[in-house]
PDB file of all heavy atoms in Angstrom:
ATOM      1  N   VAL A 549     167.158  18.274-178.509  1.00 96.00           N
ATOM      2  CA  VAL A 549     168.552  17.942-178.233  1.00 96.00           C
ATOM      3  C   VAL A 549     169.519  18.804-179.039  1.00 96.00           C
ATOM      4  O   VAL A 549     170.553  19.251-178.539  1.00 96.00           O
ATOM      5  CB  VAL A 549     168.820  16.435-178.480  1.00 96.00           C
ATOM      6  CG1 VAL A 549     168.588  16.049-179.925  1.00 96.00           C
ATOM      7  CG2 VAL A 549     170.221  16.048-178.021  1.00 96.00           C
ATOM      8  N   TYR A 550     169.177  19.092-180.290  1.00 97.00           N
ATOM      9  CA  TYR A 550     170.069  19.881-181.142  1.00 97.00           C
ATOM     10  C   TYR A 550     170.146  21.336-180.694  1.00 97.00           C
ATOM     11  O   TYR A 550     171.234  21.886-180.500  1.00 97.00           O
ATOM     12  CB  TYR A 550     169.584  19.841-182.587  1.00 97.00           C
ATOM     13  CG  TYR A 550     169.465  18.483-183.218  1.00 97.00           C
ATOM     14  CD1 TYR A 550     168.224  17.928-183.474  1.00 97.00           C
ATOM     15  CD2 TYR A 550     170.595  17.776-183.607  1.00 97.00           C
ATOM     16  CE1 TYR A 550     168.095  16.697-184.103  1.00 97.00           C
ATOM     17  CE2 TYR A 550     170.490  16.540-184.231  1.00 97.00           C
ATOM     18  CZ  TYR A 550     169.233  16.002-184.476  1.00 97.00           C
ATOM     19  OH  TYR A 550     169.118  14.786-185.092  1.00 97.00           O
ATOM     20  N   SER A 551     168.993  21.972-180.566  1.00 97.00           N
ATOM     21  CA  SER A 551     168.958  23.393-180.214  1.00 97.00           C
ATOM     22  C   SER A 551     169.453  23.630-178.802  1.00 97.00           C
ATOM     23  O   SER A 551     170.127  24.635-178.529  1.00 97.00           O
ATOM     24  CB  SER A 551     167.536  23.944-180.373  1.00 97.00           C
ATOM     25  OG  SER A 551     167.132  23.896-181.726  1.00 97.00           O
ATOM     26  N   ASN A 552     169.137  22.723-177.891  1.00 97.00           N
ATOM     27  CA  ASN A 552     169.586  22.876-176.515  1.00 97.00           C
ATOM     28  C   ASN A 552     171.114  22.837-176.450  1.00 97.00           C
ATOM     29  O   ASN A 552     171.750  23.722-175.863  1.00 97.00           O
ATOM     30  CB  ASN A 552     168.992  21.778-175.641  1.00 97.00           C
ATOM     31  CG  ASN A 552     169.181  22.033-174.155  1.00 97.00           C
ATOM     32  OD1 ASN A 552     168.749  23.054-173.626  1.00 97.00           O
ATOM     33  ND2 ASN A 552     169.828  21.111-173.467  1.00 97.00           N
ATOM     34  N   GLN A 553     171.706  21.834-177.073  1.00 97.00           N
ATOM     35  CA  GLN A 553     173.159  21.720-177.038  1.00 97.00           C
ATOM     36  C   GLN A 553     173.820  22.894-177.755  1.00 97.00           C
ATOM     37  O   GLN A 553     174.807  23.473-177.267  1.00 97.00           O
ATOM     38  CB  GLN A 553     173.580  20.401-177.680  1.00 97.00           C
ATOM     39  CG  GLN A 553     174.940  19.912-177.253  1.00 97.00           C
ATOM     40  CD  GLN A 553     174.939  19.391-175.816  1.00 97.00           C
ATOM     41  OE1 GLN A 553     173.892  19.232-175.198  1.00 97.00           O
ATOM     42  NE2 GLN A 553     176.114  19.138-175.283  1.00 97.00           N
ATOM     43  N   GLY A 554     173.279  23.251-178.908  1.00 96.00           N
ATOM     44  CA  GLY A 554     173.854  24.340-179.674  1.00 96.00           C
ATOM     45  C   GLY A 554     173.817  25.664-178.949  1.00 96.00           C
ATOM     46  O   GLY A 554     174.804  26.425-178.948  1.00 96.00           O
ATOM     47  N   ASN A 555     172.706  25.963-178.300  1.00 96.00           N
ATOM     48  CA  ASN A 555     172.574  27.238-177.595  1.00 96.00           C
ATOM     49  C   ASN A 555     173.459  27.305-176.356  1.00 96.00           C
ATOM     50  O   ASN A 555     174.045  28.355-176.066  1.00 96.00           O
ATOM     51  CB  ASN A 555     171.103  27.485-177.236  1.00 96.00           C
ATOM     52  CG  ASN A 555     170.326  28.081-178.385  1.00 96.00           C
ATOM     53  OD1 ASN A 555     170.703  29.113-178.935  1.00 96.00           O
ATOM     54  ND2 ASN A 555     169.235  27.436-178.767  1.00 96.00           N
ATOM     55  N   TRP A 556     173.578  26.218-175.613  1.00 97.00           N
ATOM     56  CA  TRP A 556     174.449  26.230-174.427  1.00 97.00           C
ATOM     57  C   TRP A 556     175.917  26.358-174.832  1.00 97.00           C
ATOM     58  O   TRP A 556     176.692  27.088-174.180  1.00 97.00           O
ATOM     59  CB  TRP A 556     174.211  24.984-173.576  1.00 97.00           C
ATOM     60  CG  TRP A 556     173.045  25.154-172.651  1.00 97.00           C
ATOM     61  CD1 TRP A 556     171.747  24.793-172.884  1.00 97.00           C
ATOM     62  CD2 TRP A 556     173.060  25.768-171.365  1.00 97.00           C
ATOM     63  NE1 TRP A 556     170.956  25.143-171.820  1.00 97.00           N
ATOM     64  CE2 TRP A 556     171.730  25.739-170.860  1.00 97.00           C
ATOM     65  CE3 TRP A 556     174.050  26.326-170.570  1.00 97.00           C
ATOM     66  CZ2 TRP A 556     171.383  26.248-169.616  1.00 97.00           C
ATOM     67  CZ3 TRP A 556     173.709  26.840-169.320  1.00 97.00           C
ATOM     68  CH2 TRP A 556     172.390  26.802-168.853  1.00 97.00           C
ATOM     69  N   LEU A 557     176.321  25.692-175.894  1.00 96.00           N
ATOM     70  CA  LEU A 557     177.683  25.861-176.393  1.00 96.00           C
ATOM     71  C   LEU A 557     177.922  27.304-176.838  1.00 96.00           C
ATOM     72  O   LEU A 557     178.993  27.873-176.609  1.00 96.00           O
ATOM     73  CB  LEU A 557     177.930  24.923-177.574  1.00 96.00           C
ATOM     74  CG  LEU A 557     178.172  23.450-177.241  1.00 96.00           C
ATOM     75  CD1 LEU A 557     178.001  22.598-178.486  1.00 96.00           C
ATOM     76  CD2 LEU A 557     179.564  23.247-176.660  1.00 96.00           C
ATOM     77  N   TYR A 558     176.937  27.897-177.444  1.00 95.00           N
ATOM     78  CA  TYR A 558     177.009  29.272-177.946  1.00 95.00           C
ATOM     79  C   TYR A 558     177.233  30.251-176.795  1.00 95.00           C
ATOM     80  O   TYR A 558     178.124  31.104-176.842  1.00 95.00           O
ATOM     81  CB  TYR A 558     175.703  29.568-178.678  1.00 95.00           C
ATOM     82  CG  TYR A 558     175.553  30.948-179.266  1.00 95.00           C
ATOM     83  CD1 TYR A 558     176.178  31.285-180.467  1.00 95.00           C
ATOM     84  CD2 TYR A 558     174.734  31.894-178.655  1.00 95.00           C
ATOM     85  CE1 TYR A 558     176.004  32.545-181.023  1.00 95.00           C
ATOM     86  CE2 TYR A 558     174.565  33.152-179.207  1.00 95.00           C
ATOM     87  CZ  TYR A 558     175.201  33.471-180.393  1.00 95.00           C
ATOM     88  OH  TYR A 558     175.031  34.715-180.943  1.00 95.00           O
ATOM     89  N   ILE A 559     176.451  30.105-175.724  1.00 96.00           N
ATOM     90  CA  ILE A 559     176.592  30.999-174.569  1.00 96.00           C
ATOM     91  C   ILE A 559     177.927  30.747-173.863  1.00 96.00           C
ATOM     92  O   ILE A 559     178.588  31.677-173.395  1.00 96.00           O
ATOM     93  CB  ILE A 559     175.426  30.808-173.585  1.00 96.00           C
ATOM     94  CG1 ILE A 559     174.082  31.170-174.262  1.00 96.00           C
ATOM     95  CG2 ILE A 559     175.623  31.661-172.332  1.00 96.00           C
ATOM     96  CD1 ILE A 559     173.941  32.618-174.651  1.00 96.00           C
ATOM     97  N   ALA A 560     178.341  29.486-173.805  1.00 96.00           N
ATOM     98  CA  ALA A 560     179.582  29.136-173.103  1.00 96.00           C
ATOM     99  C   ALA A 560     180.832  29.481-173.904  1.00 96.00           C
ATOM    100  O   ALA A 560     181.935  29.467-173.353  1.00 96.00           O
ATOM    101  CB  ALA A 560     179.588  27.650-172.768  1.00 96.00           C
ATOM    102  N   GLY A 561     180.687  29.787-175.196  1.00 94.00           N
ATOM    103  CA  GLY A 561     181.852  30.057-176.021  1.00 94.00           C
ATOM    104  C   GLY A 561     182.643  28.812-176.356  1.00 94.00           C
ATOM    105  O   GLY A 561     183.855  28.872-176.583  1.00 94.00           O
ATOM    106  N   ARG A 562     181.973  27.666-176.397  1.00 95.00           N
ATOM    107  CA  ARG A 562     182.655  26.394-176.675  1.00 95.00           C
ATOM    108  C   ARG A 562     182.143  25.736-177.947  1.00 95.00           C
ATOM    109  O   ARG A 562     182.399  24.558-178.182  1.00 95.00           O
ATOM    110  CB  ARG A 562     182.503  25.458-175.474  1.00 95.00           C
ATOM    111  CG  ARG A 562     183.223  25.992-174.229  1.00 95.00           C
ATOM    112  CD  ARG A 562     182.924  25.172-172.978  1.00 95.00           C
ATOM    113  NE  ARG A 562     183.574  25.753-171.802  1.00 95.00           N
ATOM    114  CZ  ARG A 562     184.781  25.407-171.342  1.00 95.00           C
ATOM    115  NH1 ARG A 562     185.473  24.479-171.971  1.00 95.00           N
ATOM    116  NH2 ARG A 562     185.283  25.985-170.273  1.00 95.00           N
ATOM    117  N   GLY A 563     181.411  26.510-178.746  1.00 93.00           N
ATOM    118  CA  GLY A 563     180.935  26.002-180.023  1.00 93.00           C
ATOM    119  C   GLY A 563     181.703  26.626-181.172  1.00 93.00           C
ATOM    120  O   GLY A 563     182.910  26.845-181.080  1.00 93.00           O
ATOM    121  N   THR A 564     180.981  26.964-182.241  1.00 90.00           N
ATOM    122  CA  THR A 564     181.634  27.505-183.430  1.00 90.00           C
ATOM    123  C   THR A 564     181.661  29.026-183.455  1.00 90.00           C
ATOM    124  O   THR A 564     182.334  29.613-184.304  1.00 90.00           O
ATOM    125  CB  THR A 564     180.902  27.015-184.697  1.00 90.00           C
ATOM    126  OG1 THR A 564     179.533  27.448-184.650  1.00 90.00           O
ATOM    127  CG2 THR A 564     180.968  25.515-184.807  1.00 90.00           C
ATOM    128  N   ASP A 565     180.921  29.664-182.565  1.00 80.00           N
ATOM    129  CA  ASP A 565     180.809  31.124-182.603  1.00 80.00           C
ATOM    130  C   ASP A 565     182.177  31.786-182.388  1.00 80.00           C
ATOM    131  O   ASP A 565     182.890  31.440-181.432  1.00 80.00           O
ATOM    132  CB  ASP A 565     179.836  31.604-181.529  1.00 80.00           C
ATOM    133  CG  ASP A 565     179.601  33.103-181.606  1.00 80.00           C
ATOM    134  OD1 ASP A 565     179.086  33.567-182.635  1.00 80.00           O
ATOM    135  OD2 ASP A 565     179.955  33.805-180.649  1.00 80.00           O
ATOM    136  N   PRO A 566     182.557  32.734-183.227  1.00 71.00           N
ATOM    137  CA  PRO A 566     183.900  33.323-183.124  1.00 71.00           C
ATOM    138  C   PRO A 566     184.071  34.317-181.984  1.00 71.00           C
ATOM    139  O   PRO A 566     185.192  34.748-181.713  1.00 71.00           O
ATOM    140  CB  PRO A 566     184.066  34.026-184.479  1.00 71.00           C
ATOM    141  CG  PRO A 566     182.674  34.372-184.895  1.00 71.00           C
ATOM    142  CD  PRO A 566     181.821  33.240-184.399  1.00 71.00           C
ATOM    143  N   ARG A 567     182.987  34.670-181.296  1.00 74.00           N
ATOM    144  CA  ARG A 567     183.091  35.717-180.270  1.00 74.00           C
ATOM    145  C   ARG A 567     183.322  35.166-178.863  1.00 74.00           C
ATOM    146  O   ARG A 567     183.185  35.879-177.883  1.00 74.00           O
ATOM    147  CB  ARG A 567     181.853  36.613-180.310  1.00 74.00           C
ATOM    148  CG  ARG A 567     181.868  37.574-181.495  1.00 74.00           C
ATOM    149  CD  ARG A 567     180.672  38.488-181.490  1.00 74.00           C
ATOM    150  NE  ARG A 567     179.493  37.806-181.997  1.00 74.00           N
ATOM    151  CZ  ARG A 567     178.300  38.389-182.128  1.00 74.00           C
ATOM    152  NH1 ARG A 567     178.138  39.646-181.750  1.00 74.00           N
ATOM    153  NH2 ARG A 567     177.276  37.723-182.609  1.00 74.00           N
ATOM    154  N   ASN A 568     183.624  33.889-178.765  1.00 75.00           N
ATOM    155  CA  ASN A 568     184.022  33.289-177.485  1.00 75.00           C
ATOM    156  C   ASN A 568     182.970  33.421-176.396  1.00 75.00           C
ATOM    157  O   ASN A 568     183.288  33.677-175.239  1.00 75.00           O
ATOM    158  CB  ASN A 568     185.353  33.889-177.002  1.00 75.00           C
ATOM    159  CG  ASN A 568     186.485  33.610-177.973  1.00 75.00           C
ATOM    160  OD1 ASN A 568     186.600  32.494-178.478  1.00 75.00           O
ATOM    161  ND2 ASN A 568     187.285  34.615-178.266  1.00 75.00           N
ATOM    162  N   GLY A 569     181.734  33.223-176.765  1.00 75.00           N
ATOM    163  CA  GLY A 569     180.675  33.166-175.771  1.00 75.00           C
ATOM    164  C   GLY A 569     179.899  34.456-175.618  1.00 75.00           C
ATOM    165  O   GLY A 569     180.221  35.484-176.209  1.00 75.00           O
ATOM    166  N   ARG A 570     178.855  34.380-174.806  1.00 87.00           N
ATOM    167  CA  ARG A 570     177.989  35.516-174.555  1.00 87.00           C
ATOM    168  C   ARG A 570     177.849  35.715-173.049  1.00 87.00           C
ATOM    169  O   ARG A 570     177.243  34.880-172.371  1.00 87.00           O
ATOM    170  CB  ARG A 570     176.601  35.290-175.177  1.00 87.00           C
ATOM    171  CG  ARG A 570     176.606  35.208-176.694  1.00 87.00           C
ATOM    172  CD  ARG A 570     176.965  36.559-177.312  1.00 87.00           C
ATOM    173  NE  ARG A 570     176.795  36.543-178.754  1.00 87.00           N
ATOM    174  CZ  ARG A 570     177.696  36.116-179.620  1.00 87.00           C
ATOM    175  NH1 ARG A 570     178.849  35.636-179.173  1.00 87.00           N
ATOM    176  NH2 ARG A 570     177.477  36.155-180.914  1.00 87.00           N
ATOM    177  N   ARG A 571     178.440  36.771-172.556  1.00 92.00           N
ATOM    178  CA  ARG A 571     178.298  37.095-171.144  1.00 92.00           C
ATOM    179  C   ARG A 571     177.399  38.323-171.034  1.00 92.00           C
ATOM    180  O   ARG A 571     177.781  39.424-171.415  1.00 92.00           O
ATOM    181  CB  ARG A 571     179.660  37.371-170.504  1.00 92.00           C
ATOM    182  CG  ARG A 571     179.567  37.600-168.994  1.00 92.00           C
ATOM    183  CD  ARG A 571     180.942  37.636-168.365  1.00 92.00           C
ATOM    184  NE  ARG A 571     180.862  37.649-166.905  1.00 92.00           N
ATOM    185  CZ  ARG A 571     181.898  37.421-166.111  1.00 92.00           C
ATOM    186  NH1 ARG A 571     183.098  37.170-166.631  1.00 92.00           N
ATOM    187  NH2 ARG A 571     181.747  37.432-164.795  1.00 92.00           N
ATOM    188  N   PHE A 572     176.191  38.111-170.517  1.00 94.00           N
ATOM    189  CA  PHE A 572     175.218  39.186-170.431  1.00 94.00           C
ATOM    190  C   PHE A 572     175.375  39.960-169.125  1.00 94.00           C
ATOM    191  O   PHE A 572     175.586  39.365-168.066  1.00 94.00           O
ATOM    192  CB  PHE A 572     173.791  38.625-170.512  1.00 94.00           C
ATOM    193  CG  PHE A 572     173.432  38.079-171.866  1.00 94.00           C
ATOM    194  CD1 PHE A 572     173.554  36.719-172.139  1.00 94.00           C
ATOM    195  CD2 PHE A 572     172.967  38.909-172.867  1.00 94.00           C
ATOM    196  CE1 PHE A 572     173.213  36.211-173.388  1.00 94.00           C
ATOM    197  CE2 PHE A 572     172.622  38.411-174.117  1.00 94.00           C
ATOM    198  CZ  PHE A 572     172.751  37.059-174.375  1.00 94.00           C
ATOM    199  N   ASN A 573     175.241  41.263-169.222  1.00 96.00           N
ATOM    200  CA  ASN A 573     175.162  42.125-168.044  1.00 96.00           C
ATOM    201  C   ASN A 573     173.731  42.028-167.511  1.00 96.00           C
ATOM    202  O   ASN A 573     172.788  42.504-168.152  1.00 96.00           O
ATOM    203  CB  ASN A 573     175.513  43.564-168.423  1.00 96.00           C
ATOM    204  CG  ASN A 573     175.487  44.506-167.242  1.00 96.00           C
ATOM    205  OD1 ASN A 573     174.518  44.548-166.492  1.00 96.00           O
ATOM    206  ND2 ASN A 573     176.545  45.279-167.077  1.00 96.00           N
ATOM    207  N   ILE A 574     173.576  41.398-166.361  1.00 96.00           N
ATOM    208  CA  ILE A 574     172.228  41.097-165.856  1.00 96.00           C
ATOM    209  C   ILE A 574     171.435  42.368-165.592  1.00 96.00           C
ATOM    210  O   ILE A 574     170.238  42.450-165.921  1.00 96.00           O
ATOM    211  CB  ILE A 574     172.312  40.234-164.579  1.00 96.00           C
ATOM    212  CG1 ILE A 574     173.126  38.961-164.859  1.00 96.00           C
ATOM    213  CG2 ILE A 574     170.915  39.880-164.085  1.00 96.00           C
ATOM    214  CD1 ILE A 574     172.646  38.132-166.022  1.00 96.00           C
ATOM    215  N   GLN A 575     172.068  43.382-165.021  1.00 96.00           N
ATOM    216  CA  GLN A 575     171.357  44.626-164.735  1.00 96.00           C
ATOM    217  C   GLN A 575     170.896  45.305-166.026  1.00 96.00           C
ATOM    218  O   GLN A 575     169.784  45.838-166.100  1.00 96.00           O
ATOM    219  CB  GLN A 575     172.249  45.576-163.918  1.00 96.00           C
ATOM    220  CG  GLN A 575     172.319  45.231-162.440  1.00 96.00           C
ATOM    221  CD  GLN A 575     172.983  43.865-162.183  1.00 96.00           C
ATOM    222  OE1 GLN A 575     174.025  43.552-162.770  1.00 96.00           O
ATOM    223  NE2 GLN A 575     172.371  43.051-161.337  1.00 96.00           N
ATOM    224  N   LYS A 576     171.754  45.261-167.048  1.00 97.00           N
ATOM    225  CA  LYS A 576     171.366  45.860-168.327  1.00 97.00           C
ATOM    226  C   LYS A 576     170.211  45.090-168.960  1.00 97.00           C
ATOM    227  O   LYS A 576     169.268  45.692-169.516  1.00 97.00           O
ATOM    228  CB  LYS A 576     172.555  45.874-169.290  1.00 97.00           C
ATOM    229  CG  LYS A 576     172.249  46.562-170.621  1.00 97.00           C
ATOM    230  CD  LYS A 576     173.467  46.563-171.534  1.00 97.00           C
ATOM    231  CE  LYS A 576     173.190  47.379-172.801  1.00 97.00           C
ATOM    232  NZ  LYS A 576     172.035  46.859-173.569  1.00 97.00           N
ATOM    233  N   GLN A 577     170.260  43.765-168.892  1.00 97.00           N
ATOM    234  CA  GLN A 577     169.175  42.958-169.438  1.00 97.00           C
ATOM    235  C   GLN A 577     167.856  43.252-168.722  1.00 97.00           C
ATOM    236  O   GLN A 577     166.805  43.389-169.356  1.00 97.00           O
ATOM    237  CB  GLN A 577     169.511  41.470-169.319  1.00 97.00           C
ATOM    238  CG  GLN A 577     170.665  41.018-170.202  1.00 97.00           C
ATOM    239  CD  GLN A 577     170.340  41.073-171.677  1.00 97.00           C
ATOM    240  OE1 GLN A 577     169.304  40.565-172.110  1.00 97.00           O
ATOM    241  NE2 GLN A 577     171.210  41.703-172.455  1.00 97.00           N
ATOM    242  N   ALA A 578     167.919  43.363-167.397  1.00 97.00           N
ATOM    243  CA  ALA A 578     166.707  43.683-166.634  1.00 97.00           C
ATOM    244  C   ALA A 578     166.181  45.063-167.011  1.00 97.00           C
ATOM    245  O   ALA A 578     164.965  45.262-167.162  1.00 97.00           O
ATOM    246  CB  ALA A 578     166.998  43.607-165.139  1.00 97.00           C
ATOM    247  N   ASN A 579     167.078  46.012-167.194  1.00 96.00           N
ATOM    248  CA  ASN A 579     166.671  47.365-167.545  1.00 96.00           C
ATOM    249  C   ASN A 579     166.096  47.422-168.960  1.00 96.00           C
ATOM    250  O   ASN A 579     165.129  48.142-169.230  1.00 96.00           O
ATOM    251  CB  ASN A 579     167.867  48.315-167.441  1.00 96.00           C
ATOM    252  CG  ASN A 579     167.451  49.772-167.586  1.00 96.00           C
ATOM    253  OD1 ASN A 579     166.609  50.257-166.844  1.00 96.00           O
ATOM    254  ND2 ASN A 579     168.038  50.451-168.562  1.00 96.00           N
ATOM    255  N   ASP A 580     166.683  46.636-169.880  1.00 96.00           N
ATOM    256  CA  ASP A 580     166.219  46.636-171.268  1.00 96.00           C
ATOM    257  C   ASP A 580     164.882  45.929-171.443  1.00 96.00           C
ATOM    258  O   ASP A 580     164.048  46.369-172.240  1.00 96.00           O
ATOM    259  CB  ASP A 580     167.260  45.958-172.173  1.00 96.00           C
ATOM    260  CG  ASP A 580     168.503  46.805-172.384  1.00 96.00           C
ATOM    261  OD1 ASP A 580     168.481  47.995-172.009  1.00 96.00           O
ATOM    262  OD2 ASP A 580     169.502  46.270-172.915  1.00 96.00           O
ATOM    263  N   TYR A 581     164.678  44.839-170.717  1.00 97.00           N
ATOM    264  CA  TYR A 581     163.517  43.987-170.983  1.00 97.00           C
ATOM    265  C   TYR A 581     162.515  43.922-169.835  1.00 97.00           C
ATOM    266  O   TYR A 581     161.433  43.358-169.999  1.00 97.00           O
ATOM    267  CB  TYR A 581     163.988  42.571-171.354  1.00 97.00           C
ATOM    268  CG  TYR A 581     164.833  42.571-172.598  1.00 97.00           C
ATOM    269  CD1 TYR A 581     166.220  42.428-172.522  1.00 97.00           C
ATOM    270  CD2 TYR A 581     164.260  42.759-173.847  1.00 97.00           C
ATOM    271  CE1 TYR A 581     167.011  42.448-173.668  1.00 97.00           C
ATOM    272  CE2 TYR A 581     165.038  42.791-175.001  1.00 97.00           C
ATOM    273  CZ  TYR A 581     166.411  42.641-174.904  1.00 97.00           C
ATOM    274  OH  TYR A 581     167.174  42.683-176.037  1.00 97.00           O
ATOM    275  N   ASP A 582     162.847  44.473-168.689  1.00 96.00           N
ATOM    276  CA  ASP A 582     161.918  44.486-167.549  1.00 96.00           C
ATOM    277  C   ASP A 582     162.092  45.784-166.772  1.00 96.00           C
ATOM    278  O   ASP A 582     162.251  45.790-165.558  1.00 96.00           O
ATOM    279  CB  ASP A 582     162.179  43.261-166.650  1.00 96.00           C
ATOM    280  CG  ASP A 582     161.103  43.078-165.594  1.00 96.00           C
ATOM    281  OD1 ASP A 582     159.919  43.341-165.884  1.00 96.00           O
ATOM    282  OD2 ASP A 582     161.461  42.662-164.472  1.00 96.00           O
ATOM    283  N   ARG A 583     162.074  46.884-167.511  1.00 96.00           N
ATOM    284  CA  ARG A 583     162.350  48.193-166.909  1.00 96.00           C
ATOM    285  C   ARG A 583     161.400  48.507-165.759  1.00 96.00           C
ATOM    286  O   ARG A 583     161.804  49.071-164.741  1.00 96.00           O
ATOM    287  CB  ARG A 583     162.258  49.286-167.977  1.00 96.00           C
ATOM    288  CG  ARG A 583     162.610  50.693-167.470  1.00 96.00           C
ATOM    289  CD  ARG A 583     162.479  51.721-168.570  1.00 96.00           C
ATOM    290  NE  ARG A 583     163.457  51.506-169.624  1.00 96.00           N
ATOM    291  CZ  ARG A 583     164.672  52.039-169.633  1.00 96.00           C
ATOM    292  NH1 ARG A 583     165.055  52.820-168.625  1.00 96.00           N
ATOM    293  NH2 ARG A 583     165.496  51.806-170.617  1.00 96.00           N
TER     294      ARG A 583
END
Side-chain angles (χ1 to χ4, degrees):
V549 62
Y550 302 108
S551 295
N552 192 58
Q553 202 72 10
N555 277 305
W556 276 93
L557 283 164
Y558 179 78
I559 298 295
R562 295 172 183 267
T564 59
D565 185 62
R567 285 182 281 181
N568 298 317
R570 295 292 188 275
R571 185 170 189 166
F572 291 96
N573 182 309
I574 304 306
Q575 281 64 45
K576 183 179 186 301
Q577 292 292 310
N579 189 56
D580 288 349
Y581 299 104
D582 190 37
R583 183 181 294 271

